[in-house]
């Protein structure tokens, strides 16, 4: 089955008891993005489907859609942000990031982005966003303060075309990994990667040591006894143990804040730690 997201209260923290309707096993939650309605953002020309939003810490996980001929508004990232472009494009003063690419904004990235044809992306924000006192941006909980770009010659974007990243073997039969971003230089030891499971692939008894988010792009992913299909989100809390498998094959993006050890063997980690 696929578990639907709550249309009234998007998740801020994944604590046992607060999201019981989405919990598929202890410490593991699943969300059906088709079932979650779009919500307007402050600029009125973009909408979002939020799975996680923590205004105090600036955390966000979910989908964003831009109307054609719309802009993000000037904003600065105070934590790492990354977005996978499902359709369309966004253009800022540095470059244009298009469908099939992951755009990464490092801490301090300051820009305004325009979508001429419209776009849809799946995003994970790991820190607050700030905007000018009289500004408006797509981020609903952006803090209003004076924006100062202290590193004007640091590129605001790192763009990685996902299909251009060479697949590497994982320690698991039928599982290939595309390493996208290892967070080097950010002060965090996290990983962003794409995993491809061929039909019949299994990853058993994965003990997760850090918060881990999946965005299932396509195919079927069984998490224990629950099967989810794309587009869906799976959130795994630190300490959770999961069995992953796919009957017909799937691909998903994984943001891992710590390694996962199959059978507690440190050598058996799927995320590239």
């Amino acid at each position: 089955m696929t578990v639907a997201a709550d249309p009234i209260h998007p998740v801020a923290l994944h604590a046992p008891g607060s999201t019981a309707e989405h919990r598929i096993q202890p410490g593991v939650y699943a969300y059906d993005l088709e079932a979650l309605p779009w919500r307007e953002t402050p600029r009125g020309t973009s909408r979002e489907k939020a799975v996680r939003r923590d205004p105090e810490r600036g955390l966000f996980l979910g989908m964003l859609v831009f109307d054609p001929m719309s802009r993000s508004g000037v904003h600065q990232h105070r934590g790492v942000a990354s977005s996978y472009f499902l359709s369309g494009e966004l253009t800022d003063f540095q470059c244009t990031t298009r469908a099939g690419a992951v755009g990464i904004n490092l801490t301090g990235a300051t820009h305004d982005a325009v979508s001429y044809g419209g776009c849809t992306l799946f995003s994970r924000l790991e820190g607050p966003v700030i905007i000018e006192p009289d500004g408006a941006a797509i981020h609903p909980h952006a803090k209003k303060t004076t924006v100062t770009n202290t590193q004007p010659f640091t590129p605001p974007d790192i763009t990685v075309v996902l299909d251009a990243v060479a697949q590497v073997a994982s320690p698991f039969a039928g599982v290939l990994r595309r390493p996208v971003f290892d967070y080097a230089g950010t002060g965090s030891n996290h990983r962003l990667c794409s995993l491809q499971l061929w039909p019949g692939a299994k990853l058993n008894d994965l003990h997760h040591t850090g918060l881990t988010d999946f965005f299932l792009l396509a195919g079927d992913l069984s998490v224990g006894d629950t099967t989810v299909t794309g587009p869906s989100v799976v959130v795994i809390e630190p300490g959770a143990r999961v069995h992953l498998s796919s009957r017909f094959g799937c691909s998903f993006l994984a943001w891992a804040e710590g390694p996962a050890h199959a059978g507690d063997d440190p050598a058996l980690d799927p995320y590239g730690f």
Side-chain angles (χ1 to χ4, degrees), residues 38 45-47 64-70 85-91 97-99 114-121:
W38 292 108
T45 55
S46 61
R47 289 158 299 285
L64 287 166
V65 62
F66 284 72
D67 290 340
M69 293 297 292
S70 65
F85 282 67
L86 295 158
S87 67
E89 85 296 320
L90 271 177
T91 299
T97 305
R98 297 181 172 85
V114 179
S115 184
Y116 288 96
C119 66
T120 303
L121 48 153

Side-chain angles (χ1 to χ4, degrees), residues 10 12-13 22 49 53 77 90 94 106 126 147 181 226 244 246:
L13 297 174
H22 309 302
K49 293 182 182 230
R53 185 193 292 113
H77 295 273
L90 271 177
Q94 177 197 347
L106 300 179
E126 301 178 27
V147 178
F181 184 49
T226 301
L244 303 177
S246 181

Side-chain angles (χ1 to χ4, degrees), residues 78 130-133 143-147:
R78 293 293 181 89
I130 63 170
I131 60 176
E132 291 283 353
K143 310 292 184 181
K144 292 194 173 186
T145 186
T146 301
V147 178

Side-chain angles (χ1 to χ4, degrees), residues 43-246:
R43 290 193 63 84
T45 55
S46 61
R47 289 158 299 285
E48 66 170 24
K49 293 182 182 230
V51 170
R52 178 192 302 125
R53 185 193 292 113
D54 182 338
E56 294 304 314
R57 294 191 291 166
L59 307 181
F60 175 84
L61 183 72
M63 295 185 76
L64 287 166
V65 62
F66 284 72
D67 290 340
M69 293 297 292
S70 65
R71 51 187 282 258
S72 67
V74 176
H75 61 282
Q76 182 177 93
H77 295 273
R78 293 293 181 89
V80 174
S82 49
S83 300
Y84 179 69
F85 282 67
L86 295 158
S87 67
E89 85 296 320
L90 271 177
T91 299
D92 65 10
F93 74 86
Q94 177 197 347
C95 66
T96 296
T97 305
R98 297 181 172 85
V102 178
I104 301 163
N105 310 116
L106 300 179
T107 300
T110 307
H111 61 167
D112 188 358
V114 179
S115 184
Y116 288 96
C119 66
T120 303
L121 48 153
F122 186 86
S123 297
R124 189 184 203 254
L125 273 64
E126 301 178 27
V129 171
I130 63 170
I131 60 176
E132 291 283 353
D134 60 349
I138 62 169
H139 308 285
H141 294 98
K143 310 292 184 181
K144 292 194 173 186
T145 186
T146 301
V147 178
T148 302
N149 188 356
T150 60
Q151 297 177 307
F153 298 108
T154 298
D157 313 296
I158 300 172
T159 299
V160 179
V161 179
L162 191 59
D163 286 349
V165 178
Q167 290 183 318
V168 297
S170 80
F172 306 89
V175 179
L176 297 174
R177 176 170 53 86
R178 283 189 166 100
V180 177
F181 184 49
D182 65 2
Y183 285 73
T186 68
S188 298
N189 187 27
H190 298 173
R191 297 291 185 272
L192 167 56
C193 67
S194 169
L195 292 180
Q196 183 183 72
L197 275 61
W198 283 83
K202 296 180 180 179
L203 299 89
N204 289 325
D205 192 25
L206 286 178
H207 180 204
H208 284 75
T209 64
L211 178 67
T212 302
D213 298 320
F214 295 165
F215 171 49
L216 181 61
L217 286 92
D220 65 280
L221 177 66
S222 292
V223 185
D225 295 329
T226 301
T227 297
V228 297
T229 56
S232 294
V233 174
V234 176
V235 176
I236 304 171
E237 291 181 332
R241 291 181 179 268
V242 298
H243 300 281
L244 303 177
S245 63
S246 181

